[in-house]
Amino acid sequence: MSLEQPRQPDAGVTPEGDLDYDELADLLGERVLDREEHINAEGFVVRPDEVEDTLSTLKQEAGFDHLSCVTAQDYQDRYESIYHLKKYDDPTQELSVVVPTTRDDPTSESAAGVFDTADWQEREAFDLVGVDYEGHPDPRRILLPETWQGHPLSQDYNQDKPQIVPLREHANPTEERTNVPQESDTMFINIGPHHPATHGVLHIKTTLDGEQVADIDPDVGYLHRCEEQMCQQSTYRHQIMPYPDRWDYISAGILNEWAYARAAEDMADLAVPEYAQVIRTMSAEMCRIAAHLLAVGTFALDIYGDFTAIFMYAIRDREVIQNLLEDLTGQRLMFNYLRLGGVAWDLPEPREEYFESVRDFLDEWPSRLEEYHNLLTSNELFQMRVVDTGILPPEEAKSYGATGPVARGSGVDYDLRRDDPYGYYDQLDWDVVTDEGCDNFARASVRLQEMEESARIIEQCVDLLEDWPEDERDIQSNVPRTLKPEPDTEIYRAVEGAKGELGIYMRSDGTDKPARFKIRSPCFCNLQTLPVMAEGEYIPDMIAALGSLDIVLGEVDR
Amino acid sequence: MSKNELHDTLDQAQSTQEARMGEGVDSRFNSKLREAFGSTPFILTKFDQFMNWVRGSSMFMLLFGIACCSIEMMHTYAVKHDLDRFGAGVPRASPRQADVIIVPGTIVSKFAPRMKRVYDQMPEPKFVVSMGSCTISGGPFQEGYNVIKGVEEVIPVDIHVPGCPPRPEALIYGIAKLQERIANGETSPVTVKPYELEQFGDLEQDELVTKLADQVDEDDLVMRYNWADSA
C-alpha cells in the first residue's frame, strides 16, 4: 500500500502468502484453548478475559488490521462472540476469534481498546443478543430504545410482551435550549430523525461550541426492522433472497443479493455457471452506478442545495439504469433476481434489442460523467465546501473498519472485487479507484470515477454475453429443492457492496433455515467515523461529511 | 315571532347545514366562517367547495423519507414522473407547512412516537397517504419484534398505496385519488389507533411500568406497544 512504510512480513504467513494457522496458534500460545473449523477461516477459541490481549497480539504481530465483524449468538449452553479478522492488504487471510461465555454470566472482555469499530459492533451484540462487554467505553443499547426489555435474538425472548418507548429527546426543543448554563457557549441540538439532510431516519445528537461541533453522537435504530430475525426464520433456498434487496435499498439490490448468494453457495458448496456469473457481474455494476448516482446527487443537494441540476440529472440517469434493470429483472428497485446457483432468468428477448439499449447508455455515459465533473469536481463552489473538510486519516479509517468509497477516499486500497475475487471480476479489465485526499472531495471523486470503471465492466460483460454460444447459456446449476447444509457449518463471506464490505455470517443447524444470520453492514461501520470527521468542524461541514459517507439507514439499522 | 317559532327556525337551519354537507363530509372541511354563521348561506357553500378544489389542486407534501419507498417517492417527485404536474409536488421540509404526509416505509417502535409528533405538528386539514406494504400491515417485516403492523396503528390514513415498493405511477394514482376526494369534500373514516402518545404517569401500573419507573419521568411522553393485541 502506498501510504505505508515497508514493514516486516506478518507472523503466520507462508512465503506463498497463505495463512499458517499453526504458526498463528503458536504466536498466541496458551491463549488458544481450542481450534474450530469454519468454512472461511479457522476459529481460535479464547477465554473471555483474554480478548483484548489476543486481538492486540494478532493486530500488532500478525497484521490483522481489519476487524470485519463481531457476531454474537447464543447456544443452548453458552453465549458466543466471534471476532472476524481480516487484513486490509489481503482480505483472503481470515481468522475468527471465538469467545464463549457461560449462560449465567455472559460477560466478555471488550475489544474496543484494540479496534475502534468494536465499540458499535459490541453495543449491537449486547442490544440484540445480550452479551455484556466488560470495559466497553459506552455500554448502551444501540438499535433498540433504551427502555427495551430483553434481548430479541436470544433464545428466551418473548416477542409478545409489551414494550414502552419514550419520546424524551425531542419533547420540547426550547426547553432543551434554556437548560444550557448561562455562561457556557455550548448548545445542544438534535438533528433528525426527521430531517432532509440525514438521508433517512438518522438522529444526530450534536453539541456545539459556538459554531463548531464539539461532540457528536449518531443515534441509529429508527429503521431497525429485524432483518436478521427475518432471515433466521426463512429458508435458504428461496425465502431469504428478497430481504437483501431491502438492506441497501438505493437500487443496490443485486449487490446485496450477491452477498447472500455468495455466502450460501460457499456454505452449501454450490457451483454457479459462468454465464450466470457474467450476468450477475453486469447487473451488479448497473446497481453500483445507480447507487453512486444517488449518492452524488444527494451530496450536491446537501452541500449547496442543487436541486435543479445535479440532483435532477442524477435521477434522470438513474431512470435509464432502472429501465435496463427492469427489463432484466422485472422490477425497478427490489429485484430478487439472483438465485442460489445462478440467476432467475436469462436476458430479455430479443437480446439484440437489450444489448442495444445497454450500449446506448454506455455510449452516452462518458458525456454524462463529464457533465457531473463540470458541475461538481471542477465547480469552485463545490470545491470550497468539500476540499479539506471532513478529514478521515487512513489509520483511523482502518481502525473504524471503514470500507468502500469511504476507505478508498482515504487512500486505503481495499476492494473485495479485486482482493477476494468472486463472480467474473478477475477476468475483466478494470481498476480500483483510490484517492489520497482523505476529505469529502476525495470520497465524492472516488464515486464518480468508480462509475466510470463500472461502465467499463458492463461494456466487457456485454461483449462477452453477445458472443456467448447459444447452447452454453446455463443460468442455473443444479440445486436441491430444499437446502440443508451440514449442522454447525459456519461461514463469514463478504462482497463489495455499493457502500463497502457487505458480509454475512451464517451458522447452520441441520434444518433448512439458518440458526444465526448476521449482517455486516458497511454503512454501520462507515457511520462510526462521523465523529472523527466532524468534531471541531462547522455544522455545514458535518452535513457535508455525512453526505460524503453516503449511508443508507436501511443498512445501518437492518 | 314567538320564542317557539324562533327555536324551530334555528333547528331548521341546523338541519339544512347538515343536509348541505352531505354524507361523508367530516368536520375537517368546515371553515371557521361557516361555524360562525351557524347556517349555510349559498355563497359560503360555494366558498367551501371552492376551498376544497383549491386544497386538492395545490397540495404541499411533507419531505418525509423513511425507507425503501422513499427512493421511489423521490423518483415520483423528480424528472420523468414529476408529481408537480398534478399540483401536488412541492415537498416541504417543515411539517408546519405541509398538508399531506406520505409515509414511505416501515415504522418501527423507536420511530412511531417521532412520526406521531411530526403528524401532530401539521396544520389541519391534513391528509395521509400510506405508501407500501409495510405501512399497510408491516409488509415483509410483519413478524419482526420491532415492527409496527401498519401506520394506521399510530395515525389515521386516507389512501393506501400497496406495493413493495409501489411504482411511481401507483403513487401518482393514489395521490390523484386523494385529490379527487379532497375536491369532493370526502374523507375516509378515521380508524382505530391503538398506539397513542401518553404520559408515563397515566399508564396502568403493571409489571413493566413499575420496572421502568426509575428510568422514565412521570410526565415523559411514551408510547406503549401491546404486541400481542396488534398482530
Side-chain angles (χ1 to χ4, degrees):
Chain A
M1 189 172 307
S2 45
L3 279 179
E4 269 181 20
Q5 303 297 321
R7 57 161 196 219
Q8 295 290 314
D10 300 329
V13 181
T14 59
E16 291 82 47
D18 296 323
L19 272 189
D20 183 349
Y21 287 108
D22 294 330
E23 205 184 317
L24 283 174
D26 289 344
L27 177 73
L28 294 174
E30 287 183 358
R31 275 176 286 191
V32 180
L33 303 177
D34 192 12
R35 287 165 64 172
E36 289 180 7
E37 199 60 51
H38 300 178
I39 291 183
N40 59 314
E42 272 199 31
F44 290 175
V45 181
V46 302
R47 285 170 54 86
D49 53 0
E50 284 180 340
V51 177
E52 197 170 330
D53 271 358
T54 310
L55 291 181
S56 108
T57 312
L58 287 171
K59 186 181 182 183
Q60 306 301 338
E61 289 168 42
F64 287 100
D65 52 356
H66 182 25
L67 174 58
S68 185
C69 181
V70 179
T71 306
Q73 53 184 335
D74 73 337
Y75 290 84
Q76 292 297 337
D77 57 339
R78 65 181 191 279
Y79 283 93
E80 199 176 270
S81 313
I82 306 178
Y83 295 85
H84 304 276
L85 297 172
K86 282 187 179 186
K87 296 178 182 176
Y88 272 102
D89 288 343
D90 182 1
T92 56
Q93 301 185 10
E94 295 178 79
L95 176 70
S96 302
V97 174
V98 181
V99 190
T101 55
T102 58
R103 278 202 77 86
D104 308 330
D105 178 28
T107 312
S108 170
E109 196 179 30
S110 169
V114 189
F115 294 99
D116 289 322
T117 179
D119 180 349
W120 277 25
Q121 304 226 22
E122 285 176 349
R123 275 175 70 187
E124 185 195 321
F126 161 72
D127 192 358
L128 300 185
V129 182
V131 180
D132 283 320
Y133 291 94
E134 205 171 10
H136 190 282
D138 189 15
R140 284 181 295 152
R141 285 186 181 271
I142 184 162
L143 294 176
L144 291 166
E146 303 236 330
T147 51
W148 201 262
Q149 302 295 307
H151 303 278
L153 292 184
S154 65
Q155 283 167 1
D156 46 9
Y157 182 72
N158 178 6
Q159 194 178 322
D160 287 337
K161 283 212 299 206
Q163 301 281 355
I164 291 178
V165 176
L167 178 85
R168 236 175 326 197
E169 232 79 64
H170 320 244
N172 181 357
T174 47
E175 199 174 71
E176 300 256 358
R177 249 175 260 160
T178 48
N179 279 349
V180 171
Q182 288 295 310
E183 303 90 66
S184 162
D185 219 11
T186 59
M187 180 166 90
F188 177 80
I189 53 170
N190 287 304
I191 303 174
H194 161 62
H195 190 278
T198 56
H199 293 213
V201 281
L202 171 69
H203 172 208
I204 307 172
K205 300 174 190 167
T206 322
T207 311
L208 295 181
D209 181 10
E211 273 184 69
Q212 282 176 315
V213 178
D215 184 45
I216 186 167
D217 179 16
D219 176 21
V220 299
Y222 291 96
L223 193 52
H224 173 57
R225 43 188 182 181
C226 327
E227 302 269 13
E228 288 172 9
Q229 181 204 11
M230 293 295 109
C231 291
Q232 277 167 215
Q233 58 191 43
S234 305
T235 56
Y236 292 104
R237 185 72 175 87
H238 289 298
Q239 291 178 348
I240 293 180
M241 197 56 93
Y243 285 102
D245 284 319
R246 288 156 181 86
W247 301 341
D248 174 358
Y249 45 71
I250 315 258
S251 290
I254 290 173
L255 295 159
N256 305 350
E257 286 170 28
W258 208 341
Y260 170 64
R262 188 178 187 209
E265 279 155 7
D266 285 1
M267 188 179 201
D269 201 16
L270 305 172
V272 183
E274 272 202 4
Y275 181 67
Q277 292 284 29
V278 180
I279 299 182
R280 282 183 178 188
T281 310
M282 180 186 73
S283 51
E285 290 310 308
M286 287 180 181
C287 285
R288 192 181 310 275
I289 292 183
H292 282 357
L293 270 176
L294 195 78
V296 169
T298 50
F299 189 43
L301 185 62
D302 281 349
I303 57 173
Y304 58 99
D306 191 342
F307 186 68
T308 43
I310 302 165
F311 181 76
M312 287 296 175
Y313 288 6
I315 295 278
R316 184 251 168 212
D317 288 338
R318 270 173 60 86
E319 288 282 355
V320 176
I321 295 174
Q322 283 192 318
N323 282 345
L324 292 176
L325 283 165
E326 191 183 348
D327 287 348
L328 180 65
T329 67
Q331 267 274 16
R332 276 170 61 87
L333 202 61
M334 302 296 165
F335 309 108
N336 193 15
Y337 179 60
L338 266 50
R339 295 285 180 274
L340 299 188
V343 293
W345 44 70
D346 201 350
L347 299 175
E349 294 288 348
R351 292 164 68 90
E352 294 72 35
E353 215 169 275
Y354 186 68
F355 290 134
E356 203 182 24
S357 49
V358 179
R359 287 209 191 277
D360 282 348
F361 165 72
L362 291 172
D363 290 343
E364 198 195 19
W365 191 234
S367 62
R368 306 296 302 174
L369 265 179
E370 201 187 320
E371 195 151 21
Y372 289 116
H373 277 292
N374 283 340
L375 286 165
L376 285 165
T377 44
S378 48
N379 176 347
E380 204 176 325
L381 265 177
F382 182 79
Q383 291 170 355
M384 279 168 71
R385 284 296 311 276
V386 295
V387 173
D388 281 338
T389 59
I391 302 289
L392 180 68
E395 284 318 307
E396 300 253 17
K398 286 182 178 181
S399 181
Y400 277 102
T403 48
V406 175
R408 290 194 284 273
S410 288
V412 179
D413 193 5
Y414 180 77
D415 189 325
L416 292 175
R417 289 176 291 173
R418 180 200 59 197
D419 300 338
D420 182 11
Y422 57 96
Y424 217 73
Y425 287 113
D426 51 350
Q427 300 180 46
L428 303 173
D429 179 28
W430 59 283
D431 298 312
V432 175
V433 180
T434 56
D435 192 316
E436 290 176 8
C438 305
D439 54 4
N440 292 333
F441 183 82
R443 288 184 281 276
S445 142
V446 162
R447 283 197 186 92
L448 281 170
Q449 292 172 58
E450 264 178 26
M451 290 197 270
E452 204 178 320
E453 296 299 322
S454 294
R456 271 176 75 188
I457 297 176
I458 296 174
E459 190 161 19
Q460 295 170 53
C461 289
V462 173
D463 289 344
L464 283 166
L465 290 170
E466 259 180 343
D467 300 336
W468 210 274
E470 199 167 342
D471 49 350
E472 285 170 32
R473 292 180 193 157
D474 292 333
I475 52 160
Q476 176 82 46
S477 63
N478 256 334
V479 180
R481 189 173 285 261
T482 313
L483 211 57
K484 286 185 181 172
E486 292 288 304
D488 279 320
T489 320
E490 293 177 54
I491 187 168
Y492 173 76
R493 268 281 181 271
V495 299
E496 186 72 25
K499 322 291 189 227
E501 177 183 338
L502 177 63
I504 288 170
Y505 166 84
M506 276 195 293
R507 174 169 65 86
S508 64
D509 56 359
T511 65
D512 57 354
K513 296 170 183 170
R516 179 79 174 99
F517 191 100
K518 166 89 173 96
I519 306 157
R520 188 269 183 204
S521 147
C523 293
F524 186 74
C525 299
N526 289 353
L527 180 58
Q528 269 191 86
T529 61
L530 184 62
V532 180
M533 297 180 185
E535 276 170 16
E537 303 261 7
Y538 293 117
I539 271 266
D541 295 337
M542 188 275 280
I543 297 295
L546 183 64
S548 79
L549 280 176
D550 184 26
I551 51 161
V552 178
L553 270 298
E555 198 175 66
V556 173
D557 297 345
R558 284 152 290 150
Chain B
M1 199 187 282
S2 78
K3 203 176 170 188
N4 252 349
E5 273 171 73
L6 180 69
H7 194 77
D8 283 350
T9 328
L10 271 177
D11 257 4
Q12 226 171 354
Q14 232 122 49
S15 61
T16 318
Q17 182 189 0
E18 277 155 24
R20 290 236 171 114
M21 270 169 68
E23 282 185 3
V25 178
D26 70 16
S27 56
R28 273 199 271 178
F29 289 98
N30 270 331
S31 63
K32 288 271 187 290
L33 211 55
R34 177 191 256 171
E35 271 167 37
F37 274 75
S39 62
T40 28
F42 175 76
I43 189 156
L44 283 186
T45 314
K46 287 296 168 201
F47 184 69
D48 280 351
Q49 278 177 8
F50 173 72
M51 281 308 292
N52 286 340
W53 174 76
V54 167
R55 269 182 201 129
S57 314
S58 162
M59 298 200 300
F60 282 18
M61 323 300 261
L62 178 65
L63 188 63
F64 190 63
I66 302 178
C68 335
C69 286
S70 53
I71 304 300
E72 285 295 64
M73 191 180 71
M74 275 165 56
H75 277 260
T76 316
Y77 287 141
V79 285
K80 185 170 174 188
H81 297 100
D82 191 11
L83 189 59
D84 206 13
R85 286 177 299 165
F86 307 100
V90 188
R92 313 301 302 182
S94 162
R96 300 188 198 283
Q97 300 169 347
D99 311 316
V100 183
I101 175 173
I102 302 179
V103 185
T106 320
I107 312 297
V108 302
S109 69
K110 200 170 172 181
F111 192 61
R114 274 80 183 173
M115 183 183 68
K116 172 79 175 142
R117 173 51 63 96
V118 168
Y119 175 76
D120 288 345
Q121 285 172 341
M122 288 167 59
E124 293 277 358
K126 52 192 167 190
F127 306 93
V128 181
V129 176
S130 90
M131 183 183 183
S133 312
C134 291
T135 56
I136 294 172
S137 64
F141 307 100
Q142 192 182 33
E143 287 162 22
Y145 49 82
N146 193 28
V147 175
I148 312 291
K149 279 89 190 140
V151 68
E152 258 179 323
E153 311 252 295
V154 185
I155 59 177
V157 174
D158 292 279
I159 296 274
H160 293 279
V161 183
C164 190
R167 300 176 62 90
E169 292 90 331
L171 182 63
I172 292 176
Y173 180 75
I175 288 169
K177 278 280 161 205
L178 178 67
Q179 289 177 308
E180 207 178 296
R181 278 190 172 182
I182 294 172
N184 292 334
E186 301 164 8
T187 50
S188 320
V190 173
T191 47
V192 188
K193 304 177 283 168
Y195 297 149
E196 264 293 353
L197 273 179
E198 46 200 332
Q199 285 197 329
F200 185 71
D202 295 345
L203 291 179
E204 202 183 311
Q205 297 290 317
D206 63 359
E207 197 189 341
L208 177 61
V209 175
T210 359
K211 209 167 166 186
L212 287 173
D214 51 345
Q215 283 185 52
V216 188
D217 285 345
E218 287 272 298
D219 46 0
D220 272 349
L221 286 174
V222 296
M223 201 172 262
R224 185 196 162 101
Y225 300 106
N226 298 316
W227 300 114
D229 303 342
S230 73

